[in-house]
């Protein structure tokens, strides 16, 4: 605790990938339970564990639609909101007038 060491369990995210050095080590894992060596990057220290293997699912799009929608909707909505607010903010400028601010101060 004194050394300010932190531990977290993170999953790879589509919009926030791990560094490439971590990916190289993960690709070397071959069986469940295997662990990478300690990988040091600019973002920190990483250790990955091969947890499980899931076989491919052969299901129709109609059957997968709800699951896919649930998985991607929140990220899509957040991205669209950020695009919208950036477009609104892009057409505005901010000006500061310290003389007027000091005149209203008590």
């Amino acid at each position: 605790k004194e050394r300010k060491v932190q531990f977290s369990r993170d999953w790879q995210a589509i919009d926030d990938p791990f560094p490439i050095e971590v990916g190289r080590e993960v690709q070397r894992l071959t069986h469940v339970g295997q662990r990478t060596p300690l990988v040091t990057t600019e973002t920190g220290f990483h250790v990955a564990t091969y947890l499980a293997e899931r076989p491919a699912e052969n299901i129709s799009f109609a059957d997968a639609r709800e699951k896919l929608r649930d998985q991607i909707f929140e990220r899509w909505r957040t991205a669209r909101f950020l695009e919208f607010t950036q477009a609104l903010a892009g057409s505005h400028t901010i000006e500061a007038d310290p003389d007027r601010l000091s005149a209203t101060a008590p």
Side-chain angles (χ1 to χ4, degrees), residues 18-73:
F18 287 116
I20 195 153
E21 299 89 355
V22 176
R24 284 189 191 118
E25 290 298 327
V26 167
Q27 287 179 336
R28 293 187 180 127
L29 300 177
T30 58
H31 59 276
V32 175
Q34 193 175 8
R35 207 173 254 147
T36 64
L38 180 67
V39 180
T40 305
T41 68
E42 72 247 2
T43 61
F45 302 96
H46 308 271
V47 176
T49 304
Y50 193 148
L51 295 178
E53 184 77 29
R54 267 193 309 185
E57 295 178 35
N58 189 13
I59 59 176
S60 70
F61 180 73
D63 293 339
R65 180 179 299 152
E66 290 301 317
K67 186 176 180 182
L68 289 171
R69 186 180 301 147
D70 291 344
Q71 290 175 352
I72 65 172
F73 177 70

